[in-house]
Amino acid sequence: MNSKLINTVRWKFIYAFLLSGILTAAILFGGSKVVQSMLAAQDYPNYSIPARGVRWLINHIGSAPLMIIIGVLAFVLFFFLFTRRVMLVLDEITAGIQEVAKGELSHRIEVKTSDEFGVVAASINQMAEQLQQSLQEERSAVAAKNDLITGISHDLRTPLTSILGFLEYIEKDRYQDEIEMRYYVSIAYEKSLTLRKLIDDLFEYTRVSGGSLPLSLIPLNLNPFLMQLAEEFAPMLEEAGMTYKITGGQEPIWIMAAPGELVRAYENLFSNAIRYGAQGKVVEIALSHDEGEAVVRISNYGEAIPAQDLPRLFERFYRVDKSRSRDTGGTGLGLAIAKSMIELHHGRIAAFSENGRTDFVTRFPLAPASVHRDPKER
């Protein structure tokens, strides 16, 4: 018989029932023999006190009812003793369920057996752990929502306050001449562009991070993709007094991607490298293979990012230097959008910064060779 089947609550109760019955029968048989011997060894007038008591019970109750009563009591006692351990486990499970019902989700039931009760205890522990994790995720989601609202309010209020302030100057004719009025209009216009960029980035982040963005993945060679994107940033690089350099990737590096969506991630990474690496004069783009992955490293040189800030770079609205970010037009969403977009492509991104060099490293699974192979070679 299967050992797992034998080690079940059902069989434990069957064993307890059988053992209780056997021991009860043994006690009744042995007891009857002892009583018969005790009564037969003494004459009626000379019965001892125990013998007289037994004789009285037999005369007033009857031997058969007396044996039934003793048998039932013995069977119940033995059955209780043999099932006591199982019932203690059941009591612990019941107490554990009550604790979880009270909201004590950190409570765990000790799994002492491998039978059904052990499975139930393990399942309850798993359920409590999942509930605790879900509750923590819910709390984190609420905190994230509050942080998002706070960040949006803060970042929208700053340019909006400037726009309203300069428009108020114009509305109330608080300018000296047309030149000053045009200056106010110019500032309001620039702040409006900043406001529109923030709203566009916020919409893009919500669309990407919410998982509602459908991707149509096709084979994409990263070499020409990044070279073309770098060329498109040539005017911005020239304006910042910078150049770009591409290294590695002599052979094609194919991944599965949606080019129109992936370009958004790398646009943010390129813009970030130009914004904060102008003093280094160069943006490096390195391509390589590494253990079945396509690796793209975008590097810029300048002030290093503090180690404590690196883990939070990809959080929405997080800025290492808030004042510098506002001056350069950053919304605090670019890297968060890049991370979400890369993860939608089953990729990863990490940031490293030391000795005046900052690297953003992205990794993607390589596309299967059969997907991008030349039809003539198939």
Side-chain angles (χ1 to χ4, degrees):
M1 186 178 292
N2 193 334
S3 59
K4 291 184 178 180
L5 179 62
I6 294 176
N7 190 31
T8 60
V9 175
R10 181 184 304 163
W11 279 101
K12 286 180 180 179
F13 276 101
I14 291 175
Y15 296 151
F17 184 87
L18 293 175
L19 288 174
S20 299
I22 292 171
L23 289 176
T24 299
I27 287 177
L28 291 176
F29 180 78
S32 65
K33 293 298 183 181
V34 170
V35 170
Q36 290 175 5
S37 300
M38 183 175 60
L39 294 178
Q42 303 180 34
D43 296 330
Y44 174 68
N46 300 320
Y47 280 167
S48 63
I49 293 178
R52 289 179 182 178
V54 171
R55 188 69 184 178
W56 185 89
L57 290 174
I58 294 174
N59 291 335
H60 288 79
I61 300 177
S63 58
L66 186 61
M67 291 183 67
I68 292 174
I69 293 173
I70 295 174
V72 169
L73 292 176
F75 181 86
V76 171
L77 177 62
F78 286 130
F79 190 79
F80 173 78
L81 291 176
F82 289 137
T83 59
R84 182 172 179 272
R85 185 178 178 183
V86 176
M87 299 310 295
L88 287 176
V89 173
L90 182 59
D91 290 340
E92 290 184 8
I93 293 176
T94 303
I97 293 175
Q98 292 175 345
E99 290 296 321
V100 173
K102 292 177 183 178
E104 297 293 335
L105 299 180
S106 60
H107 180 79
R108 296 292 180 268
I109 303 171
E110 184 179 357
V111 181
K112 297 181 177 179
T113 63
S114 58
D115 55 21
E116 292 93 335
F117 286 155
V119 174
V120 170
S123 299
I124 293 173
N125 289 339
Q126 184 178 3
M127 179 192 67
E129 185 175 353
Q130 291 176 348
L131 286 174
Q132 188 177 22
Q133 184 177 358
S134 298
L135 184 61
Q136 184 62 39
E137 289 176 354
E138 182 180 353
R139 290 173 178 170
S140 298
V142 172
K145 182 185 70 174
N146 293 335
D147 291 342
L148 180 62
I149 293 174
T150 301
I152 293 172
S153 301
H154 182 273
D155 283 67
L156 290 179
R157 184 170 59 244
T158 302
L160 188 59
T161 300
S162 297
I163 293 170
L164 292 176
F166 286 110
L167 290 179
E168 183 182 2
Y169 285 162
I170 297 173
E171 174 68 19
K172 296 182 178 181
D173 297 329
R174 295 171 61 182
Y175 54 87
Q176 298 178 358
D177 50 32
E178 185 177 352
I179 296 177
E180 188 174 17
M181 182 192 71
R182 288 183 176 276
Y183 173 70
Y184 291 159
V185 171
S186 175
I187 295 178
Y189 176 72
E190 292 296 329
K191 295 296 182 181
S192 299
L193 293 178
T194 302
L195 191 60
R196 186 179 69 177
K197 185 177 187 307
L198 174 60
I199 294 173
D200 289 343
D201 284 351
L202 180 62
F203 174 76
E204 182 75 7
Y205 174 77
T206 305
R207 188 171 66 104
V208 173
S209 62
S212 60
L213 180 64
L215 295 181
S216 179
L217 303 181
I218 62 172
L220 175 67
N221 186 356
L222 284 175
N223 295 11
F225 173 78
L226 291 173
M227 288 181 64
Q228 180 180 349
L229 185 59
E231 283 296 326
E232 293 176 0
F233 272 83
M236 186 181 296
L237 287 165
E238 184 178 353
E239 183 179 350
M242 302 176 69
T243 59
Y244 73 88
K245 180 173 65 174
I246 297 181
T247 60
Q250 285 75 17
E251 297 180 359
I253 300 178
W254 293 89
I255 65 170
M256 298 300 297
E261 304 296 342
L262 187 60
V263 72
R264 182 75 166 112
Y266 281 107
E267 282 178 348
N268 287 333
L269 294 178
F270 280 18
S271 298
N272 187 79
I274 296 171
R275 183 178 298 125
Y276 301 123
Q279 68 186 71
K281 302 299 181 181
V282 64
V283 174
E284 292 182 357
I285 306 163
L287 296 90
S288 62
H289 296 86
D290 183 27
E291 298 182 353
E293 290 184 321
V295 182
V296 179
R297 175 177 55 82
I298 299 176
S299 307
N300 63 272
Y301 297 86
E303 184 180 349
I305 300 173
Q308 66 271 18
D309 291 316
L310 283 174
R312 302 190 61 190
L313 279 181
F314 301 102
E315 294 181 10
R316 55 178 174 258
F317 296 115
Y318 185 78
R319 297 185 178 98
V320 176
D321 185 344
K322 292 182 172 58
S323 61
R324 183 178 67 172
S325 293
R326 290 196 187 96
D327 291 341
T328 54
T331 63
L333 287 170
L335 293 180
I337 293 172
K339 180 177 184 292
S340 298
M341 186 64 71
I342 288 168
E343 289 178 347
L344 280 177
H345 285 80
H346 311 293
R348 296 172 292 153
I349 184 171
F352 308 91
S353 186
E354 59 181 357
N355 300 325
R357 169 173 157 172
T358 299
D359 299 326
F360 286 91
V361 180
T362 57
R363 294 175 176 268
F364 300 93
L366 289 172
S370 59
V371 174
H372 55 78
R373 188 182 301 158
D374 192 317
K376 297 179 181 179
E377 299 176 359
R378 298 182 183 177

